[in-house]
């Protein structure tokens, strides 16, 4: 999980039931803190229940949207996310908000989906392709451009697995690991 260190403050975008938050909480230790952000009240309630059942005290769950994070400026050291940014209708706003909440010298480690070519409009318009985390995928140049426009630098990207087609005879999509930094 992003090479987390004891004492770091972590934000998990799209935290769901809290699994990644609980793993991060273990890595940052009792002197660190993890915040899970999710837009659905049911997931926030489930994550809070899971944290209480597990006795994890250095984690909290906040309801909000990725495009308008209810967190103070420069309040976290690391932003993590597992294939959630692709679902946002405004990825530029997500990256701007992630940059805003990161402290100077902070970093973002996320897994996301990347289109390996142009995404056909029929794929973009297909609700099933959205639910499958395919229709919202950006091409690499657009994705990196959004990160740079938000202020991120030293951007690293690596494909995590084999590509798969978005549909018959269409562009492929692949899971990528993205690491980007905010200047100190």
């Amino acid at each position: 999980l992003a090479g987390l260190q004891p004492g770091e403050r972590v934000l998990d975008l799209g935290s769901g039931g809290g699994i990644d938050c609980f793993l991060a909480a273990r890595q940052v230790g009792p002197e660190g803190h993890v915040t899970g952000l999710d837009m659905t009240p049911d997931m926030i309630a489930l994550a809070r229940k899971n944290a209480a059942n597990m006795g994890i005290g250095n984690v909290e769950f906040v309801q909000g949207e990725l495009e308008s994070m209810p967190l103070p400026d420069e309040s976290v050291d690391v932003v993590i996310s597992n294939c959630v940014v692709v679902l946002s209708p405004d990825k530029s706003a997500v990256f701007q908000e992630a940059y805003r909440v990161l402290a100077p010298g902070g970093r973002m480690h996320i897994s996301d989906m990347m289109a390996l070519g142009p995404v056909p409009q029929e794929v973009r318009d297909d609700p099933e392709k959205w639910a499958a985390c395919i229709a919202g995928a950006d091409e690499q140049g657009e994705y990196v451009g959004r990160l740079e426009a938000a202020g991120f630098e030293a951007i690293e990207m690596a494909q995590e697995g084999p590509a798969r087609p978005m549909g018959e005879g269409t562009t492929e999509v692949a899971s990528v690991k993205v690491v980007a930094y905010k200047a100190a």
Side-chain angles (χ1 to χ4, degrees):
L1 275 170
L4 299 177
Q5 300 298 311
E8 287 188 312
R9 301 165 298 163
V10 179
L11 170 62
D12 180 20
L13 304 180
S15 56
I19 293 170
D20 287 341
C21 291
F22 304 139
L23 294 171
R26 187 176 309 156
Q27 287 186 343
V28 300
E31 63 278 6
H33 185 77
V34 179
T35 303
L37 175 66
D38 203 281
M39 66 182 264
T40 57
D42 290 345
M43 283 292 112
I44 294 295
L46 175 62
R48 288 175 178 162
K49 179 182 172 186
N50 290 339
N53 288 342
M54 297 171 74
I56 299 175
N58 63 337
V59 65
E60 69 175 321
F61 295 94
V62 177
Q63 185 178 347
E65 296 187 5
L66 304 180
E67 300 84 0
S68 180
M69 298 177 195
L71 296 166
D73 293 355
E74 302 181 351
S75 60
V76 300
D77 302 305
V78 185
V79 173
I80 62 173
S81 180
N82 189 4
C83 207
V84 174
V85 176
V86 70
L87 297 172
S88 173
D90 189 354
K91 292 167 197 58
S92 294
V94 174
F95 293 144
Q96 290 164 1
E97 281 291 280
Y99 190 85
R100 179 186 66 78
V101 301
L102 274 172
R107 64 195 186 280
M108 182 170 65
H109 283 257
I110 63 173
S111 289
D112 211 0
M113 298 304 287
M114 172 115 2
L116 303 181
V119 179
Q121 192 60 45
E122 61 269 12
V123 171
R124 294 250 189 245
D125 295 339
D126 185 341
E128 289 182 21
K129 300 287 188 198
W130 274 97
C133 297
I134 293 173
D138 283 343
E139 291 183 67
Q140 184 172 352
E142 185 175 17
Y143 201 100
V144 171
R146 291 180 196 277
L147 289 166
E148 290 173 340
F152 285 101
E153 52 189 48
I155 300 164
E156 304 166 15
M157 194 172 295
Q159 189 169 322
E160 292 187 294
R164 66 181 200 260
M166 293 181 154
E168 193 167 321
T170 65
T171 298
E172 292 184 317
V173 65
S175 176
V176 293
K177 180 175 128 180
V178 179
V179 181
Y181 297 86
K182 182 174 183 175

